[in-house]
Amino acid sequence: MLEVKELSFDYREREILKDISFTAMAGDFLCILGPNGAGKSTLFRCILGLHKRYNGIVSIHNENIKNMSQVKLAKKMAYIPQSHYPTFNFKVLDIVAMGLTVHLDKLASPTGEHEKLAYEALEQLGISYLWNRGYGEISGGERQMTLIARAVAQKSFILLMDEPTANLDYGNQIRVLEKVRELAQEGYTIIMTTHNPEHAFIYGNKMLMMQKGEITCAGCPTIELTEELIQNVYGVSVEIHEIYNGDVDTKVIVPKLKGDYGKNVSMDRREYSLL
């Protein structure tokens, strides 16, 4: 369990975060939404222990992270950035094995057993076929899956993901998020920032909406994430429609178009069909 309680953070006399409180349990897929500058990245830095001068409490299993060493914290929580470009073209297996360094003694080198654990993490993510490929030679989606595999190899069951699909094409976004949801179903705690509210509808079971460093709404996405909320936070008019998707109902968001845009699009299509 990760608990954030009344967390506030100031930088150069400017209030960045104000009274942030939430709890994420094993199996939760928590989506953190909000416009640019809402404080999402700063919140992650506080949770990861990178910003230490915050007020409030961040705890894991009721233990304050300020009382943990970086090694102990890394054994409980892993971070997956939105993109990563290494200086050297390490093999994918070596990148994943780097997640195991937290379990090694100082100056110790990885063993064959560590490589086995790294390979098992690749298998868990369904990308073991990449093990001998250069990390700089694979696609963006494969790199993102490799970073998730590294976090899995780290044996940390709380995963913080900072817009993990921001630089991916549509297909890779779906493939990555499907794997992340599977990890939540296996008992991992997933906390993910995203700019796409539909991610909360389709994959999340909890959501936080942040605006100007505060939580403006929290709860179940299908209940709390409304047209009015999106209008107030993002300043755009949308319609939310419920559709049948496989075995469950889900919601999709459609922007309201202004003026003659729809008419012009249909005319262009007719003209194109005659060519």
Side-chain angles (χ1 to χ4, degrees):
M1 180 182 71
L2 173 73
E3 183 177 15
V4 176
K5 191 173 182 180
E6 297 178 354
L7 188 149
S8 297
F9 179 76
D10 297 340
Y11 180 71
R12 294 183 178 178
E13 300 183 354
R14 179 188 168 203
E15 190 174 56
I16 307 298
L17 299 174
K18 181 179 179 181
D19 293 332
I20 303 293
S21 296
F22 67 88
T23 300
M25 308 291 289
D28 279 341
F29 193 143
L30 170 63
C31 293
I32 302 180
L33 304 165
N36 292 329
K40 302 185 296 295
S41 296
T42 301
L43 174 61
F44 265 19
R45 293 188 187 102
C46 291
I47 294 174
L48 291 165
L50 301 177
H51 288 327
K52 300 182 182 299
R53 296 181 180 178
Y54 59 81
N55 296 315
I57 297 174
V58 178
S59 62
I60 298 176
H61 303 310
N62 298 316
E63 183 178 359
N64 193 323
I65 68 165
K66 287 186 176 180
N67 298 329
M68 298 182 188
S69 66
Q70 285 296 319
V71 171
K72 184 175 182 179
L73 186 58
K75 290 180 179 179
K76 297 179 180 293
M77 183 163 51
Y79 172 69
I80 297 98
Q82 60 178 270
S83 61
H84 178 241
Y85 300 96
T87 303
F88 301 102
N89 190 29
F90 293 108
K91 288 195 305 183
V92 165
L93 186 68
D94 293 333
I95 292 290
V96 177
M98 291 176 187
L100 292 160
T101 56
V102 69
H103 300 284
L104 298 175
D105 294 331
K106 291 181 179 179
L107 303 181
S109 299
T111 64
E113 180 64 23
H114 293 113
E115 290 188 351
K116 179 183 176 183
L117 292 172
Y119 188 82
E120 289 174 353
L122 287 170
E123 285 187 318
Q124 187 173 346
L125 270 294
I127 55 170
S128 57
Y129 61 90
L130 295 173
W131 75 274
N132 200 33
R133 295 276 301 278
Y135 182 77
E137 299 168 0
I138 59 178
S139 71
E142 290 169 335
R143 280 199 298 270
Q144 201 63 39
M145 295 286 270
T146 299
L147 294 179
I148 296 172
R150 183 177 67 180
V152 169
Q154 192 173 319
K155 301 298 181 183
S156 306
F157 280 85
I158 299 173
L159 304 183
L160 270 62
M161 301 185 174
D162 186 10
E163 300 177 35
T165 61
N167 300 305
L168 303 183
D169 64 44
Y170 183 68
N172 278 322
Q173 287 183 36
I174 294 174
R175 283 184 278 273
V176 167
L177 290 174
E178 285 290 343
K179 284 297 182 181
V180 174
R181 181 166 61 178
E182 288 178 13
L183 292 175
Q185 292 169 344
E186 293 171 13
Y188 285 81
T189 301
I190 307 297
I191 304 174
M192 182 183 81
T193 62
T194 176
H195 281 299
N196 189 341
E198 286 188 353
H199 290 166
F201 280 143
I202 299 171
Y203 302 102
N205 69 316
K206 290 182 177 180
M207 57 81 66
L208 299 177
M209 181 66 80
M210 292 185 63
Q211 189 176 21
K212 297 180 180 179
E214 298 184 75
I215 295 176
T216 59
C217 185
C220 176
T222 56
I223 297 173
E224 303 295 342
L225 192 52
T226 64
E227 296 171 356
E228 182 181 6
L229 178 65
I230 293 173
Q231 167 74 45
N232 292 337
V233 172
Y234 293 101
V236 294
S237 297
V238 300
E239 292 180 349
I240 295 177
H241 298 275
E242 190 166 312
I243 63 171
Y244 185 71
N245 182 21
D247 295 328
V248 297
D249 290 334
T250 190
K251 293 184 177 182
V252 295
I253 302 171
V254 181
K256 291 182 180 180
L257 302 179
K258 297 180 180 180
D260 295 330
Y261 181 80
K263 179 180 178 181
N264 293 336
V265 169
S266 62
M267 184 180 296
D268 290 342
R269 287 174 177 168
R270 286 196 300 271
E271 292 175 353
Y272 179 77
S273 66
L274 296 174
L275 295 178

